[in-house]
């Protein structure tokens, strides 16, 4: 790492699902099916070819908490080597750090990711104790992690998996001053927080990037300075999300572009309903059915298997048909 801290680029990152072999045929005495690294590489190349800015491995969608330390390190290393071999050297890779807040363990994850070739760590807010976690405690915790991490970090605020802990805009303002804290991912519906942090004049926005975890917020937040999204739907409909982001980052829309933005954002927002309703299982199933990667029986307990009978057809009719047409036209 050079003395100049690496800043993640603006654009669309994909929180990639982790692929597993078929459970029934691969357990052979093991408690859980093994990671399917070949599919992981192929899906990563598919995303790079579709114009996706970068990939987030082993976040919440990537089920990092279901993998061992060795499996996590091997997965990141394998994807890095696979992308290099496919002609994508230095392709942006974030890796998720999902601990309950123990500092030594958190730094261990980051050190492993550094050695495996990830450029950034996406560090989940420690939320085991929920409302008892103060903003002052979060600031001190993140500063200690950033001081000692071998790679720059982003603050990952996902209240749905951290007992409702919210990182407040004034806390981001403090953390953004740290030279090794280079951004945040907000996986919640408070658009005002995205906008406040993206427009805060006390933050150097060339050194601190704001991303949403939801594509249904892409247009509104990028219009007010956010860097982009780390969006699960882009794992199976990447071109549509990329095109929407390109138009929003460009700005200065003519009437035709404005009309296209409206069509794209409507479709992306509808597709995001599927992601929010069905979560990790839904993303894995959509990646298999739409993009052709993985299988419908893999996964690790307690998230093994596929959606309930009939759920996919219902979701396709409700949410996905319009975006499928757009994706096919791009």
């Amino acid at each position: 790492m050079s003395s100049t801290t690496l800043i993640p680029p603006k654009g669309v990152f994909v929180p990639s699902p982790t692929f597993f072999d078929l459970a029934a045929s691969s357990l052979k005495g093991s408690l859980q099916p093994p990671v399917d690294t070949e599919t992981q590489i192929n899906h990563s190349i598919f995303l790079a070819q579709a114009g996706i800015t970068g990939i987030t491995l082993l976040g919440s969608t990537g089920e990092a908490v279901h993998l061992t330390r060795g499996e996590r390190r091997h997965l990141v290393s394998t994807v890095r080597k696979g992308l290099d071999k496919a002609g994508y050297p230095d392709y942006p890779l974030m890796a998720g750090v999902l601990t309950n807040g123990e500092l030594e363990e958190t730094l261990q994850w980051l050190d492993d990711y550094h050695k495996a070739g990830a450029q950034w760590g996406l560090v989940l807010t420690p939320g085991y104790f929920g409302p008892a976690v103060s903003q002052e405690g979060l600031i001190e915790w993140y500063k200690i992690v950033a001081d000692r991490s071998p790679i720059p970090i982003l603050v990952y605020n996902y209240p749905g998996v951290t007992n409702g802990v919210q990182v407040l805009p004034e806390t981001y303002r403090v953390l953004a001053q740290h030279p090794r804290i280079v951004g945040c991912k907000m996986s919640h519906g408070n658009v005002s927080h995205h906008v406040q942090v993206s427009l805060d004049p006390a933050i150097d926005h060339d050194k601190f990037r704001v991303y949403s975890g939801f594509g249904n917020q892409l247009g509104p937040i990028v219009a007010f300075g956010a860097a982009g999204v780390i969006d699960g739907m882009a794992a199976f409909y990447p071109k549509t999300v990329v095109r929407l982001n390109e138009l929003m980052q460009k700005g200065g829309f003519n009437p035709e572009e404005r009309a296209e933005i409206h069509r794209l954002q409507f479709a992306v927002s509808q597709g995001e309903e599927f992601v929010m309703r069905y979560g990790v299982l839904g993303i894995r199933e959509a990646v298999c059915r739409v993009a052709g990667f993985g299988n419908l029986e893999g996964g690790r307990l307690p998230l093994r298997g596929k959606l309930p009978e009939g759920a996919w057809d219902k979701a396709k009719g409700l949410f996905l048909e319009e975006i499928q047409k757009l994706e096919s036209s791009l």
Side-chain angles (χ1 to χ4, degrees), residues 225-262:
V229 290
I230 303 174
D231 175 56
M233 194 190 67
F236 50 97
Y237 288 136
K239 294 179 182 178
T240 303
V241 186
V242 167
R243 175 60 179 165
L244 175 58
N245 177 73
E246 287 175 347
L247 289 170
M248 291 306 305
Q249 297 284 358
K250 171 180 175 287
F253 321 120
N254 61 42
E256 291 78 15
E257 289 171 332
R258 188 177 297 277
E260 184 180 3
I261 287 169
H262 290 179

Side-chain angles (χ1 to χ4, degrees), residues 13-28:
F13 281 75
V14 168
S16 178
T18 295
F19 297 93
F20 301 98
D21 288 337
L22 287 166
S25 63
S26 62
L27 284 177
K28 297 179 180 178

Side-chain angles (χ1 to χ4, degrees), residues 52-69:
I52 290 296
T53 307
I55 298 171
T56 301
L57 298 169
L58 296 169
S60 301
T61 301
E63 300 178 65
V65 295
H66 293 162
L67 275 68
T68 66
R69 179 185 181 186

Side-chain angles (χ1 to χ4, degrees), residues 17-300:
T18 295
F19 297 93
F20 301 98
D21 288 337
L22 287 166
S25 63
S26 62
L27 284 177
K28 297 179 180 178
S30 300
L31 293 175
Q32 298 275 34
V35 176
D36 181 357
T37 52
E38 182 178 357
T39 298
Q40 199 79 49
I41 293 169
N42 291 335
H43 182 247
S44 298
I45 295 169
F46 161 77
L47 295 175
Q49 291 173 338
I52 290 296
T53 307
I55 298 171
T56 301
L57 298 169
L58 296 169
S60 301
T61 301
E63 300 178 65
V65 295
H66 293 162
L67 275 68
T68 66
R69 179 185 181 186
E71 287 174 327
R72 292 191 300 267
R73 185 170 50 207
H74 179 66
L75 184 146
V76 175
S77 175
T78 299
V79 170
R80 167 59 70 204
K81 292 173 183 175
L83 286 165
D84 288 350
K85 186 176 180 180
Y88 295 95
D90 301 319
Y91 188 79
L93 289 182
M94 295 181 189
V97 180
L98 279 57
T99 72
N100 276 325
E102 203 283 317
L103 284 167
E104 294 291 345
E105 182 187 5
T106 300
L107 291 166
Q108 183 184 81
W109 284 48
L110 288 162
D111 186 60
D112 286 346
Y113 290 155
H114 170 58
K115 292 173 181 175
Q119 293 106 315
W120 304 276
L122 184 66
V123 181
L124 185 68
T125 301
Y128 183 89
F129 291 102
V133 177
S134 68
Q135 298 299 299
E136 293 76 17
L138 290 176
I139 289 170
E140 185 175 2
W141 188 85
Y142 271 111
K143 283 184 174 180
I144 291 172
V145 172
D147 284 343
R148 292 161 175 79
S149 173
I151 53 177
I153 68 169
L154 290 86
V155 177
Y156 179 20
N157 187 203
Y158 185 5
V161 298
T162 56
N163 290 319
V165 173
Q166 282 273 7
V167 181
L168 298 179
E170 58 266 31
T171 299
Y172 287 115
R173 181 183 301 151
V174 175
L175 292 175
Q177 309 310 312
H178 194 291
R180 305 280 288 172
I181 300 177
V182 295
C184 63
K185 177 187 180 185
M186 301 186 198
S187 290
H188 56 66
N190 194 329
V191 173
S192 176
H193 281 194
H194 291 78
V195 172
Q196 287 182 64
V197 180
S198 297
L199 296 178
D200 191 336
I203 294 175
D204 183 344
H205 300 289
D206 289 327
K207 297 182 179 178
F208 186 88
R209 307 291 201 201
V210 176
Y211 303 89
S212 172
F214 302 122
N216 56 7
Q217 298 171 342
L218 193 159
I221 66 168
V222 172
F224 290 98
V229 290
I230 303 174
D231 175 56
M233 194 190 67
F236 50 97
Y237 288 136
K239 294 179 182 178
T240 303
V241 186
V242 167
R243 175 60 179 165
L244 175 58
N245 177 73
E246 287 175 347
L247 289 170
M248 291 306 305
Q249 297 284 358
K250 171 180 175 287
F253 321 120
N254 61 42
E256 291 78 15
E257 289 171 332
R258 188 177 297 277
E260 184 180 3
I261 287 169
H262 290 179
R263 290 194 301 272
L264 289 165
Q265 184 64 75
F266 178 69
V268 170
S269 295
Q270 280 198 310
E272 202 67 38
E273 289 293 320
F274 169 80
V275 171
M276 291 188 290
R277 186 169 298 189
Y278 295 108
V280 174
L281 279 176
I283 293 171
R284 279 209 317 250
E285 182 147 343
V287 169
C288 180
R289 290 184 181 271
V290 175
F293 298 96
N295 59 75
L296 298 179
E297 300 296 338
R300 288 186 170 178

